[in-house]
């Protein structure tokens, strides 16, 4: 089984790991993502409601004991704010969580002009406005069909514009299905030039055919099994045979 990455990973910054620890950094990054997409706002802040069992589903590689201990460490050090006061039923002690952004240093330590409070507030505000987010690592959203606009954005625009130029069509560069296919191919290690080569190959073969030219589309060209087959087709083999020349007899010469 291949344990190398073929799917969108959970990204964490080394500087955050250095500040809070590896496990804690993974938890805070995931909580940050959940906060950005959370519809639950209290007192001007976004909160995430989860039980320890829910967190266990989010982080299947940790035991419940590890999760409880990690959350406790983050609460003690002030990186994590939690409360149960937002529950509708007082008997419900399930906690609501949010990151205390004022404790997270978003700016490189090497910057001599670094102002932690100012930098944190700026980073917090900017990240609230992010239109596109990284996928979470949970099963719930791992297989989601929502595409990430940021990944390979420029490469995808280049490829689709090239396809439109070669086929005289108007495929959209921001179509989620197209982005998902191209992200997957590039995550497999294929380059923009590889993909252009497939486009060149299939347009040469299919454009002259009224039926097959309809298959010059992202859903066909960039499909996983199709694309691999096309990549291995290679260029059409040109015949090396010399043109036929009739044998000519010269009757002006005598017998030798």
């Amino acid at each position: 089984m291949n344990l190398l990455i073929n799917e969108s990973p959970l990204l964490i910054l080394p500087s955050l790991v250095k500040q809070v620890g590896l496990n804690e950094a993974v938890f805070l990054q995931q909580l940050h993502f959940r906060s950005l997409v959370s519809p639950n706002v209290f007192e001007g802040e976004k909160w995430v409601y989860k039980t320890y069992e829910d967190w266990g589903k989010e982080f299947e590689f940790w035991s419940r004991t590890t999760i409880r201990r990690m959350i406790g460490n983050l609460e003690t050090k002030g990186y994590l704010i939690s409360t149960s006061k937002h529950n509708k039923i007082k008997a419900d002690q399930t906690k609501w969580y949010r990151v205390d952004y004022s404790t997270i240093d978003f700016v490189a330590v090497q910057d001599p002009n670094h102002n932690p409070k100012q930098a944190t507030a700026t980073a917090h505000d900017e990240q609230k406005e992010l239109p596109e987010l990284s996928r979470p690592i949970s099963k719930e959203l791992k297989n989601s069909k929502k595409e990430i606009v940021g990944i390979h954005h420029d490469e995808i625009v280049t490829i689709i514009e090239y396809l439109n130029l070669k086929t005289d069509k108007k495929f959209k560069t921001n179509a989620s299905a197209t982005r998902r296919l191209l992200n997957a191919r590039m995550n497999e290690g294929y380059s923009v030039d590889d993909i252009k080569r497939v486009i060149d190959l299939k347009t040469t073969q299919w454009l002259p055919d009224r039926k097959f030219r309809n298959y010059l589309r992202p859903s066909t060209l960039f499909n996983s099994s199709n694309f691999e087959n096309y990549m291995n087709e290679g260029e059409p083999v040109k015949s090396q045979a010399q043109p036929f020349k009739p044998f000519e007899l010269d009757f002006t010469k005598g017998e030798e």
Side-chain angles (χ1 to χ4, degrees), residues 135-159:
R135 289 185 188 177
I137 58 178
S138 64
K139 280 186 176 180
E140 173 190 354
L141 291 177
K142 185 188 297 182
N143 297 320
S144 169
K145 293 186 178 180
K146 293 180 180 178
E147 193 49 49
I148 311 166
V149 169
I151 295 181
H152 304 303
H153 172 74
D154 293 340
E155 294 95 330
I156 290 174
V157 171
T158 299
I159 290 167

Side-chain angles (χ1 to χ4, degrees), residues 14-28:
S15 53
L16 180 61
V17 174
K18 183 177 180 180
Q19 183 177 347
V20 303
L22 178 58
N23 287 356
E24 288 78 3
V26 172
F27 182 91
L28 285 177

Side-chain angles (χ1 to χ4, degrees), residues 169-181:
K169 295 185 180 181
K170 297 180 180 179
F171 294 110
K172 295 182 178 179
T173 60
N174 61 349
S176 59
T178 299
R179 287 185 170 275
R180 184 158 56 260
L181 288 170

